[in-house]
Amino acid sequence: MTKPIQIGYPEVDDHQSLLMRALTVIPGKPGSVAVSDVPDPSPQADELLVEGIALGICGTDKEIVAGEYGSAPSGFDQLILGHESLGRVKQTPDDSRFTVGDLVVGVVRRPDPVPCGACARGEFDMCRNGRYTERGIKGLPGYGSQLWCVSIDYAVRLTPSLERVGMLLEPTSVLAKAWEQIDRIGNRSWFDPQKVLVTGAGPIGLLAALIGVQRGLQTHVLDQVTEGVKPDLVKDLGATYHTDDIDTVAGKLQPDVVIEATGAKSLVFGALANTAGYGITCLTGVSPEGRHLTVDAGAINREIVLENDAVVGSVNANLRHYQSAAEALERADSAWLERLITRRVPLEQATEAFDDSGDVEGDVKVVIDLDGPA
Ligand code: BGC
């Protein structure tokens, strides 16, 4: 038998430890994603031991698999991948507020060790020195394994009704944060938004639209595809689906708020140029570097200044955002949420989750089932 891969959980006695299956990758090495044997984790005094149920896959995971992003725990080569978690508590510390059988999600980010002023105040999503760590992304083992551990301070309990869709909590937390940023910026003066335009009908865009509708806003979503599930998912939310170019759509709508969820440069600048006065554009998508787009920077500057517009970038989420995301998912139609999951792959075939060659209309969310037969 090959020696199990060590992945940076605290050392356990090798002779006693059992093995589990995990989705692993060597960050920086394209083609290294694999389903591997790793030692079972053993929980520290403040940690829950959790049986993985499912794991959502997102663009960040694909970047890590492509060797473009991410880092293993210090001193190790391999990273257990996965940050969109869902599991069931198997063991709890004494006196914890959790019970065996609870449905839980693990928070992604941990504060930097300094800590900076933001991390010291629980706002680790706003870390100022970049030395934060992230489960499954940057320096900490992720949640893509049959068992995982999480400190009770970074575990979020979900209502049992979210058992099929709870792995959507993490991406929803990113949007709960984005909407909070929009509120805070909007409330610097009188703010009564009516229309939101979301660019991109992937999971982030659709969850942004869900919250827009829950807030009672007239919600519009722009995407390229005309077939597949996306147009119906948008319509069934009570929102409007658009496929024209950004200048046409945003120019006509003049949205009060734009949530950009693609990172496509033409959409970013098209949105900035077409908001209503006092418009807020929140950027949540990451663009690749090095490709150029010619823009009239003067016209954009003029629009932003003369209309008191604001542009904000938003990433990650803190515990407050996870709580508000959990409320948004509870309020949502669970059948609609389930339709966001367009593909489920068993853990043993998890590497297929990264193959989108046969995907014409666009998978929305691909999920890896962690609790099937090993
Ligand atoms: C995750 C965030 C994380 C970001 C950058 C995103 O995919 O949802 O939690 O902060 O990647 O690593």
Side-chain angles (χ1 to χ4, degrees):
M1 196 181 73
T2 50
K3 204 172 165 335
I5 293 167
Q6 302 295 321
I7 38 68
Y9 268 121
E11 286 285 302
V12 282
D13 180 348
D14 247 354
H15 299 294
Q16 283 176 19
S17 81
L18 298 168
L19 298 182
M20 64 170 179
R21 302 289 280 164
L23 181 61
T24 59
V25 65
I26 303 175
K29 192 170 172 200
S32 63
V33 68
V35 181
S36 317
D37 282 335
V38 305
D40 277 2
S42 56
Q44 305 294 290
D46 67 332
E47 285 185 333
L48 303 171
L49 178 65
V50 180
E51 265 170 343
I53 295 177
L55 179 78
I57 296 299
C58 79
T60 302
D61 301 305
K62 290 185 184 167
E63 279 185 38
I64 298 172
V65 165
E68 293 162 4
Y69 193 63
S71 57
S74 164
F76 297 87
D77 295 331
Q78 310 263 355
L79 173 74
I80 294 191
L81 199 57
H83 60 278
E84 298 186 359
S85 62
L86 179 67
R88 188 174 299 290
V89 174
K90 188 178 163 71
Q91 195 182 306
T92 67
D94 295 339
D95 297 331
S96 92
R97 62 196 163 85
F98 291 91
T99 312
V100 171
D102 280 351
L103 206 57
V104 283
V105 165
V107 170
V108 175
R109 193 174 283 193
R110 298 294 176 275
D112 75 76
V114 177
C116 74
C119 285
R121 289 163 179 80
E123 306 241 331
F124 44 80
D125 57 312
M126 296 292 200
C127 179
R128 301 304 152 85
N129 61 26
R131 291 178 60 196
Y132 61 82
T133 47
E134 290 182 335
R135 298 284 302 254
I137 302 176
K138 183 174 183 271
L140 291 177
Y143 298 113
S145 49
Q146 291 178 304
L147 291 171
W148 40 267
C149 294
V150 65
S151 156
I152 50 174
D153 295 335
Y154 291 95
V156 182
R157 187 183 7 239
L158 286 183
T159 157
S161 62
L162 293 174
E163 177 164 13
R164 295 279 298 163
V165 294
M167 79 302 282
L168 297 174
L169 183 71
E170 194 278 337
T172 310
S173 74
V174 167
L175 276 320
K177 170 176 173 178
W179 276 108
E180 182 196 75
Q181 302 307 299
I182 292 163
D183 282 343
R184 290 183 175 194
I185 294 163
N187 286 321
R188 73 197 192 279
S189 175
W190 171 76
F191 188 48
D192 184 22
Q194 306 294 320
K195 271 184 245 173
V196 57
L197 172 64
V198 176
T199 51
I204 293 290
L206 289 167
L207 292 166
L210 169 72
I211 300 178
V213 170
Q214 287 182 342
R215 290 173 159 233
L217 297 180
Q218 196 192 109
T219 303
H220 299 263
V221 179
L222 172 65
D223 199 286
Q224 285 175 326
V225 302
T226 51
E227 307 283 321
V229 294
K230 290 177 178 178
D232 284 343
L233 280 166
V234 170
K235 269 183 237 140
D236 295 346
L237 262 186
T240 311
Y241 191 77
H242 301 266
T243 52
D244 284 339
D245 65 89
I246 179 77
D247 288 316
T248 308
V249 174
K252 212 184 282 170
L253 284 175
Q254 295 282 299
D256 304 298
V257 172
V258 176
I259 298 185
E260 206 298 305
T262 68
K265 292 172 293 293
S266 56
L267 291 180
V268 171
F269 286 97
L272 289 179
N274 286 293
T275 55
Y278 198 70
I280 301 175
T281 302
C282 181
L283 306 178
T284 66
V286 184
S287 319
E289 288 173 10
R291 283 185 224 143
H292 298 271
L293 172 79
T294 305
V295 292
D296 184 342
I300 288 173
N301 174 70
R302 200 181 159 80
E303 152 112 8
I304 292 175
V305 172
L306 294 183
E307 296 198 342
N308 290 294
D309 288 346
V311 187
V312 61
S314 185
V315 70
N316 196 252
N318 65 39
L319 286 161
R320 185 173 70 242
H321 308 123
Y322 277 81
Q323 286 307 340
S324 111
E327 286 158 26
L329 290 185
E330 274 176 48
R331 283 177 60 198
D333 171 10
S334 52
W336 184 86
L337 291 174
E338 221 174 297
R339 286 165 58 206
L340 295 186
I341 301 164
T342 43
R343 197 149 60 100
R344 289 186 190 258
V345 180
L347 176 59
E348 284 308 310
Q349 280 139 48
T351 56
E352 289 170 14
F354 302 93
D355 175 12
D356 36 26
S357 52
D359 175 24
V360 190
E361 275 119 24
D363 266 323
V364 179
K365 175 60 73 187
V366 178
V367 160
I368 295 171
D369 281 323
L370 298 175
D371 57 358

